[in-house]
Amino acid sequence: MSNAIGNFASGLDDRLTIASWSRRNIRKVFPEHWSFMFGEMALYAFITVLLSGIYLTLFFKPSMTEVLYDGSYVPLKGVHMSEAYASTLDISFDVRGGLLLRQIHHWAALLFVAAMSVHLVRVFVTGAFRKPREINWMIGLGLLMMGFLAGFSGYSLPDDLLSGTGLRIAEGIMLSIPVIGTYLSFFLFDGEFPGDEFISRLYGIHILLIPGVILALITAHLLIVWYQKHTQYPGKGKTNDNVVGYPVMPIYAAKAGGFFFVVFGVIVAIAGVITINPIWGYGPYMPDQITAGSQPDWYMGWLEGALRIMPNWETVAWGHTISWNVFIPAAVLMGIVFTLLGAYPWLERWATPGDQTKDHNLLDRPRNAPTRTALATGSLTFYFLMLIAGGNDIIASQLDMSINAITWVVRIGIFVIPPFVFWITRRICLSLQRKDRDLLLHGVETGTMMRLPHGEFEEVHAPLSEEAKAVILSKETIEPIPYPEKTDANGVKTPHYHLKKMQAAVSHWLYRDAVPLPSAAELEAAEHHILESAEKGAPVMHQMRQLEAEGGVMHDPSAAEADRAAGVTVPHLDAEFDQKAEDEKGQQAD
Amino acid sequence: MSQIENQEHSSEYAPVPIPHSEVRRSDVSPKQAKYQQRLISLLFGLSMLCAVIFVVAYVQIPIDETVSIPFLGTWSKMNTILGLSFGLGSFFIGAGVIQWAKQLMSHREMVQDRHPLRSPDDAREDAIAQFQQGAQESTFATQPILRRSLIGAMALFPIPLVMLLRDLGPLPGDKLFNTMWRPGMRVVMDVTSAPIRPSDIPIGGIVSAMPDGLPEVQEHDGNLNERAKSVVLLVRLNPDDIVSQQNPEGEASWDYEGVLCFSKICPHVGCPIALYEQRTHHLLCPCHQSTFDLADSGRVVFGPAARDLPQLPITVDKDGYIIARNGFAEPVGPSFWERA
Ligand code: HEM
Ligand code: FES
């Protein structure tokens, strides 16, 4: 190590003990898989949002004071508008690169929430939320919620017609909250909607409060990942007690660092060519104006959909009004969804035998947890139906359908389609498990038939690769918790009988029907059998390969002789390949 | 390129490489390694070029010039070139580094042990014992009076924090119940403030309108609050088509010769309503598609809105201009708890 760096590091160690920390972490191993990239992507999108946001603060004026627009966007010259809107126009048309930064900020925000959402689904279907990682699951949910708020508060800032409409809806939703709604709204808006304070209040929340919370949560999230070590997918040599992958320095650091530049680059390039939120086209916010087909950012779409398909129930009693039609889809639904998400790891743990103490560092293959996977697909179906409902006017006009019809399809659909998808997914998972079992027992079908001496045809089976075998054998066969007896043999009542019955019921719901792995004896017998088949089939396989190489024509050996005599050469890939390898070896030796 | 012999460093903390059957082409073929080296440095070179393009574009391209991009439409030229050069400049760095890691850095899988997260039992016991020692020394348990009064103080302590929020806004009072509409107030054109005669609106026509003097009220209040609740729509129907209106039984109907006046603010969550279908006299809110039948008391015929669109009783003054006969009989806009 060069002297200057060495001295610096030594000085740091004198003061901060960094060597002891570094020796344990510089070569820390991280497992690798494409599905692990979504969390990283969310992180990089967030960094992009932070950097571009700081730039925007240099020019944006969070004020609802009315001004006369005098910038270079001609169609709005001389129009009265808020300073917020005017300054956003200035960023877009009078600051070089300002439009780009606005677009980067917005695209990165969209990607931030999208990557978090996919990351959440990945974590769910692979069971990465299980002990000891429940805390990170909760932090992740907090981050997702903060992402919604950050995005919504952001696109409400420019005070254009679309953002104002979004705020109006938000205020209507606040008013629907029983008892405190009106007060909440009056305090936030300094009186009635829209007031003249809201943008500047939202600004502080958007650029300081929410990013601060997100930053703190992300820091905790990453520290915990680092400390607990990443989960890994099953495979050869991978156990619950080791980590197989690449060391942070150099591979993981290089790949992760490189990936930041890729994510950032893609966001910026997209921001260069694809318009997002062209606020100049909407005009300044006026509470009595609206554009048809107004849509929120995608992550708000499902709530918008819920708001649209909710039946118009309202209760008036004892001089008060409760707007179920607004309160349920806009507030209660979100509460239920996040409560269920937050409760799930604890519920699964409670209903899994022996799961109180065990750490789970090997991920589940989704097929091996059929009920959990089916819950994911069922919930996603529910979510997408809501999204569809959120775009019902656009779908109606594009497909020339009636909004009425779409609304009814979704209203009924959310009760019918997700359970159906749940059921189908479970089916698929179980049949994949059966397929895995067959692979273990019979090996891989090669598709090659051989004729046995007594004339019967049989397919040649090849043994599974070690890797494939390890992956399949990673499955844990879990016996559901048995139903309790009401009284024991001596007639003594089982304590907490009903709770235990519920626990057993949930456990059966999660783990019934699992296809058990073959026993050790069965496996051994199968292995023997497969090897035998492969051995017997080897000459046939060899011939087949030759055949493929020669264009699938079965040659009589004498015909081949004749060919050679006539100077016809038959391409032989194996030989070609061997030759290439020889060449390269030769060059290497030079 | 000289093949660097990897000297294995091992310590109790270093991960162990696992024997690897996968051999990269660049490991065995110097030609391939050389090719990768060129490719990666080319990527870095392109990135530098992008930075130069960015600077040139920033200085040279007029900010208001546009380009036409297939499928994407006409669009700011500066934004396009700045975005592509900056974005690709970053992308090339990332791609180069990742390629470097994949092709030329030592790429052996390694294995490391996990250690149980749970502390050893003696550590737990020790921690508990120390905590108990601390707790005992604190006298928290043996001083019930101090403990309870401290809890009391801590419970009251946040009160100022909550109190400080009081001036965020005024109390609602009856603000949501009232608009500026008063008996005799003219219903004037939105934007121009011109008074309106029934004959100005053709049968089947619809106009956006507001109370006379709204701009002044806005100016005085310094906000758009009044506009957000008092704007209205005037529609003119064939009087025979009108099925019902919101006037209480026994009272004269609230239209004037087929001209009806409705609040423009959706009773769902408050969007202004804009889409009118003349044939069915249905008014559709673009936000969540609540649909109101204007010929039938502004009744909700579809969608999530729970209440009919409030109607404003109108007549004409001595000059023949449309005026309000009264204010709205009910609060306009979204429902709220205090509303009966
Ligand atoms: C935490 C994640 C964040 C998200 C998801 C987010 C999202 C958004 C969105 C969607 C917009 C609307 C942009 C538009 O189309 O005009 C916006 C505006 C804005 N954001 Fe953020 N933002 C975040 C963090 C930040 C931070 C950290 C800052 C500054 C330190 C910031 C500063 C701004 C400013 C000044 C605007 C208004 C300027 C404009 O609209 O052009 N944001 N934000
Ligand atoms: S605001 Fe009109 S339907 Fe929702």
Side-chain angles (χ1 to χ4, degrees), chain B residues 80-149:
Chain B
T80 307
I81 301 194
L82 293 188
L84 286 178
S85 57
F86 192 19
L88 290 176
S90 171
F91 180 84
F92 288 138
I93 292 181
V97 171
I98 291 173
Q99 187 70 1
W100 186 352
K102 281 191 165 170
Q103 296 295 338
L104 298 174
M105 292 182 190
S106 165
H107 202 268
R108 290 171 310 164
E109 271 197 308
M110 303 205 169
V111 58
Q112 215 165 29
D113 284 340
R114 292 179 193 269
H115 304 288
L117 292 163
R118 186 186 195 279
S119 311
D121 285 341
D122 60 332
R124 287 187 169 202
E125 276 154 29
D126 188 24
I128 292 169
Q130 293 204 32
F131 177 82
Q132 279 166 346
Q133 181 72 32
Q136 192 192 342
E137 288 175 15
S138 78
T139 67
F140 196 73
T142 51
Q143 289 279 11
I145 297 173
L146 293 185
R147 188 173 70 235
R148 282 176 207 145
S149 49

Side-chain angles (χ1 to χ4, degrees), chain A residues 42 84 119 165 233 248-249 281 283 304 327 420 439 462 473 492 503 534 542 563:
Chain A
H119 178 58
T165 304
Y233 282 97
V248 167
M249 192 173 158
E304 169 92 2
F327 186 56
F420 176 71
L439 277 175
L473 284 174
V492 180
Q503 188 185 24
H542 184 76
D563 275 353

Side-chain angles (χ1 to χ4, degrees), chain A residues 169 307, chain B residues 266-273 285-292 303-305:
Chain A
I169 295 174
L307 209 51
Chain B
C266 185
H268 181 222
V269 285
C271 287
I273 312 184
C285 176
C287 280
H288 315 100
Q289 290 85 42
S290 291
T291 310
F292 306 88

